[in-house]
């Protein structure tokens, strides 16, 4: 099984390299340290809003069915809504392992709240956005159910094209805003905000009017919009989306449902908010990856992906799919990666029993490939790698190789048929012939290397280089093994 996987992975790498000549041409180095995105529960987001003067439904949070019952009594509301708290959408149509259908229920009887909570808390809820087995529900939110006479949409987000915050609204709320933008673009209203001056009263009033609030409701909506903007700045958010931003029959403007995205680079000054991060729903391997600032998402394939940059990582997964394979994970190393992170990433990948091959696809424009190479050799040596490994390093490393200043540490003694390196720095037929001639004597030249050597005289510069075993030294554009 291993040989076909290696051949498939090698073909994918070669295709990607030939299609991406622009990657190697980029010289500007940008170093970013990846961080896991913070995701809060609904009750946590609503508490942040409530604490900052934004109007939301009255609610309580319960850990047991008894607490849920007591919360329902304390609300003393005409109607109560009970919501399972999980970090996934589609709760209303979800199914519990207890047999209960739906993660959102309406009732007028507090006793029913306790009965429903008993079938929610401690059981797994499966929705369209969760794994098949679902995720365990540890808390429920008991809230006052309010009638909505009209629904609108409101969002505050950072817009690169405007170099700052933008207020986006539509009188059509309660539906996907993308659908509104596609079918009725004239119903999308925007207000660009000067981040230094802040939101102006005229902007808030104009947006409230565009959303269809008039009379006393106009001032009330404008006040809520300004409070939402202040919250947006205070918590270092990148987006605050309220859908629906609604109106009740009693004449109140209420934020019924909201999603908040945070700037993870502001974690150092938002410690209280980031402390609310609930990692209990994550896979253990994802929590382990987060400890080392690695973005990891487990998938159901057998080809492990080891890539730097989210865009390249997604493209690598796509190429594997397009060629009939299945990626085992999404792993983004990011820019400012260290050798220890490379080692830990390999440790995570090799711990997955589904993995039958590892595909390394690194663009040297945003990371030093020497760091990657040294991390890989250390991982192979200490973890006793037993699955095929295909490595592609492209871009920056050619500077070290050609100047003879880079020499990776001694590599592990692993059979060469299990380790192949692609470095697109060697582009000319002469370099390709030189590269293949460096293959250790006495070892059979892999078929694809033989073809590259045979055809190198007639090929153009797109031929690139064939793979060679990952060796103990790399000097003057040659790879040798010990």
């Amino acid at each position: 099984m291993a040989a076909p996987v290696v051949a498939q992975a090698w073909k994918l790498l070669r295709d990607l390299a030939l299609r991406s000549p622009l990657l190697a041409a980029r010289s500007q180095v940008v170093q970013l340290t990846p961080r896991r995105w913070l995701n809060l529960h609904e009750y946590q987001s609503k508490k942040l809003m409530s604490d900052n003067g934004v109007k939301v439904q009255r609610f309580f949070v319960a850990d047991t069915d008894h607490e849920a019952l007591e919360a329902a009594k304390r609300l003393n509301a005409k109607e109560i809504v009970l919501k399972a708290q999980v970090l996934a959408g589609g709760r209303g149509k979800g199914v519990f392992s207890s047999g209960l259908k739906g993660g959102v229920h309406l009732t007028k009887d507090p006793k029913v709240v306790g009965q429903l909570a008993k079938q929610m808390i401690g059981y797994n809820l499966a929705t369209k956005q969760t794994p098949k087995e679902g995720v365990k529900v540890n808390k429920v939110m008991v809230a006052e159910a309010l009638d909505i006479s009209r629904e609108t949409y409101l969002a505050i987000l950072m817009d690169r094209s405007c170099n700052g915050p933008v207020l986006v609204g539509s009188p059509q709320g309660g539906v996907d805003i993308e659908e509104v933008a596609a079918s009725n673009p004239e119903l999308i209203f925007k207000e660009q905000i000067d981040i230094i001056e802040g939101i102006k009263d005229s902007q808030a009033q104009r947006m409230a009017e565009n959303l269809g609030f008039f009379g006393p409701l106009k001032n009330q909506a404008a006040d809520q919009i300004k409070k939402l903007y202040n919250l947006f700045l205070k918590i270092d958010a990148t987006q605050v989306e309220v859908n629906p931003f609604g109106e009740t029959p009693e004449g109140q403007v209420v934020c019924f449902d909201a999603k908040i995205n945070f700037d993870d680079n502001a974690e150092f000054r938002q410690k209280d908010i980031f402390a609310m991060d609930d990692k209990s729903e994550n896979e253990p391997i994802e929590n382990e990856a987060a400890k080392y600032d690695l973005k990891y998402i487990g998938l159901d394939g057998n080809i492990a992906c080891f890539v730097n940059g989210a865009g390249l990582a997604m493209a690598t997964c796509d190429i594997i799919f397009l060629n009939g394979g299945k990626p085992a994970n999404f792993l983004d190393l990011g820019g400012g990666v260290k050798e220890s992170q490379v080692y830990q990433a390999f440790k995570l990948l090799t711990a997955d029993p589904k993995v039958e091959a590892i595909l390394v696809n690194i663009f040297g424009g945003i990371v030093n490939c020497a760091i990657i190479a040294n991390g890989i050799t250390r991982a192979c040596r200490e973890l006793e790698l037993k699955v095929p490994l295909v490595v592609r390093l492209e871009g920056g490393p050619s500077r070290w190789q050609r100047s003879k200043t880079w020499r990776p540490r001694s590599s592990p003694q692993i059979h060469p048929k299990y380790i192949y390196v692609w470095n697109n720095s060697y582009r000319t037929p002469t370099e390709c012939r030189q590269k293949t001639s460096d293959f250790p004597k006495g070892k059979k030249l892999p078929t694809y290397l033989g073809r590259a050597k045979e055809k190198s005289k007639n090929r153009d510069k797109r031929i690139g280089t064939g793979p060679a075993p990952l060796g103990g030294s790399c000097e003057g554009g040659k790879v040798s093994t010990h």
Side-chain angles (χ1 to χ4, degrees):
M1 181 66 184
V5 173
V6 173
Q8 183 184 58
W10 171 250
K11 180 179 181 298
L12 300 179
L13 280 175
R14 178 171 173 74
D15 289 346
L16 178 61
L18 294 180
R19 293 178 198 168
S20 310
L22 291 178
L23 290 179
R26 296 177 183 172
S27 59
Q28 187 176 8
V29 178
V30 178
Q31 292 208 350
L32 299 173
T33 302
R35 293 193 178 275
R36 179 181 172 273
W37 285 357
L38 175 64
N39 199 0
L40 297 185
H41 286 287
E42 179 185 3
Y43 77 90
Q44 293 171 319
S45 296
K46 285 191 172 180
K47 186 177 187 305
L48 279 176
M49 295 168 72
S50 178
D51 290 346
N52 286 273
V54 178
K55 180 70 174 178
V56 298
Q57 302 153 278
R58 294 186 296 124
F59 71 91
F60 295 102
V61 181
D63 297 322
T64 66
D65 57 303
H66 178 71
E67 287 182 6
L69 174 60
E70 292 302 314
K73 292 178 179 178
R74 287 169 60 194
L75 278 175
N76 192 26
K78 293 181 180 179
E79 192 170 23
I80 302 164
V81 59
L82 180 67
K83 293 185 175 183
Q85 296 300 285
V86 293
L87 298 173
R91 290 174 295 174
K93 296 181 180 179
V95 179
F96 286 89
S97 55
S98 63
L100 179 66
K101 293 183 179 180
V104 179
H105 288 266
L106 285 167
T107 180
K108 295 181 180 180
D109 187 353
K111 293 181 180 179
V112 174
V113 172
Q115 296 169 2
L116 291 171
K118 192 173 184 178
Q119 299 177 70
M120 291 183 176
I121 299 173
Y123 293 96
N124 283 15
L125 174 62
T127 75
K128 61 183 180 181
Q129 293 185 11
T130 67
K132 291 182 179 179
E133 66 275 12
V135 293
K136 187 177 180 180
V137 175
N138 296 312
K139 297 179 184 292
V140 293
M141 185 176 77
V142 185
E144 176 185 21
L146 297 176
D147 292 329
I148 306 176
S149 57
R150 199 171 62 86
E151 297 180 329
T152 70
Y153 173 91
L154 180 70
I156 306 168
L157 58 129
M158 284 293 184
D159 189 338
R160 287 174 182 257
S161 63
C162 298
N163 294 319
V166 173
L167 199 61
V168 180
S170 173
Q172 286 192 7
V175 295
D176 289 337
I177 193 63
E178 292 83 1
E179 295 180 6
V180 178
S183 59
N184 301 100
E186 71 280 1
L187 295 179
I188 302 294
F189 299 94
K190 297 181 181 179
E191 289 284 345
Q192 185 176 339
I193 303 172
D194 187 313
I195 198 167
I196 303 299
E197 295 182 2
I199 188 170
K200 299 177 181 178
D201 290 341
S202 59
Q203 290 179 308
Q205 292 279 342
R206 187 161 52 244
M207 179 56 74
E209 189 172 323
N210 288 333
L211 296 182
F213 294 102
F214 300 100
L217 286 176
K218 178 180 175 181
N219 292 331
Q220 190 181 151
D223 181 62
Q224 290 294 298
I225 291 171
K226 288 188 290 184
K227 287 179 177 177
L228 283 167
Y229 179 75
N230 292 335
L231 171 67
F232 174 83
L233 290 184
K234 180 180 178 181
I235 63 177
D236 286 302
T238 56
Q239 174 178 295
V240 174
E241 183 183 46
V242 183
N243 191 16
F245 184 60
E247 174 185 337
T248 68
E250 293 78 22
Q252 289 185 321
V253 178
V254 181
C255 297
F256 285 94
D257 202 356
K259 180 172 178 59
I260 304 176
N261 292 340
F262 298 88
D263 183 351
D264 296 308
N265 294 308
E267 180 179 355
F268 72 97
R269 64 184 178 203
Q270 300 291 348
K271 296 184 184 296
D272 291 342
I273 291 177
F274 279 79
M276 294 191 289
D277 191 8
D278 182 5
K279 299 177 181 177
S280 63
E281 295 182 19
N282 299 340
E283 293 292 332
I285 192 171
E286 292 181 17
N287 289 332
E288 188 67 19
K291 292 180 182 178
Y292 304 101
D293 287 335
L294 300 171
K295 289 183 178 177
Y296 179 97
I297 300 175
L299 303 174
D300 58 359
N302 62 344
I303 301 177
C305 300
F306 183 96
V307 190
N308 66 322
L312 185 58
M314 290 187 286
T316 303
C317 290
D318 288 343
I319 290 174
I320 290 175
F321 267 117
L322 289 172
N323 287 270
K326 287 187 176 182
N329 65 276
F330 170 96
L331 175 62
D332 174 17
L333 288 177
V337 64
K338 297 180 175 63
E339 184 180 322
S340 59
Q341 290 173 289
V342 175
Y343 173 80
Q344 293 298 335
F346 256 81
K347 197 172 180 181
L348 293 172
L349 297 180
T350 54
D352 188 346
K354 302 192 306 294
V355 171
E356 297 180 7
I358 299 176
L359 174 60
V360 178
N361 189 11
I362 298 296
F363 169 48
I366 60 175
V367 69
N368 184 339
C369 286
I371 294 175
I372 303 297
N374 288 329
I376 290 174
T377 55
R378 177 192 167 194
C380 291
R381 180 172 58 250
E382 297 183 14
L383 301 177
E384 298 182 356
L385 185 67
K386 299 184 184 302
V387 297
L389 170 66
V390 178
V391 182
R392 172 182 180 254
L393 305 174
E394 169 153 0
S398 60
R399 297 196 301 275
W400 288 281
Q401 292 168 337
R402 290 177 176 171
S403 64
K404 301 184 181 182
T405 59
W406 174 50
R407 181 183 293 272
R409 292 191 284 275
S410 179
S411 66
Q413 298 299 320
I414 299 179
H415 197 285
K417 76 176 182 179
Y418 279 162
I419 303 182
Y420 305 104
V421 178
W422 170 286
N423 190 308
N424 214 35
S425 304
Y426 304 91
R427 293 178 175 277
T428 69
T430 301
E431 288 174 320
C432 186
R433 288 196 298 274
Q434 182 183 26
K435 183 80 171 180
T436 56
S437 66
D438 289 333
F439 197 81
K441 293 182 180 180
K443 296 185 183 295
K444 185 179 179 181
L445 193 68
T447 305
Y448 39 80
L449 269 179
R451 287 199 299 268
K453 186 175 183 179
E454 181 181 338
K455 297 180 180 180
S456 61
K457 295 180 181 180
N458 304 318
R459 296 287 295 276
D460 59 26
K461 291 185 179 181
R462 291 185 307 157
I463 188 172
T465 176
L470 180 62
S473 66
C474 179
E475 185 173 349
K478 298 181 181 181
V479 174
S480 60
T481 56
H482 300 311

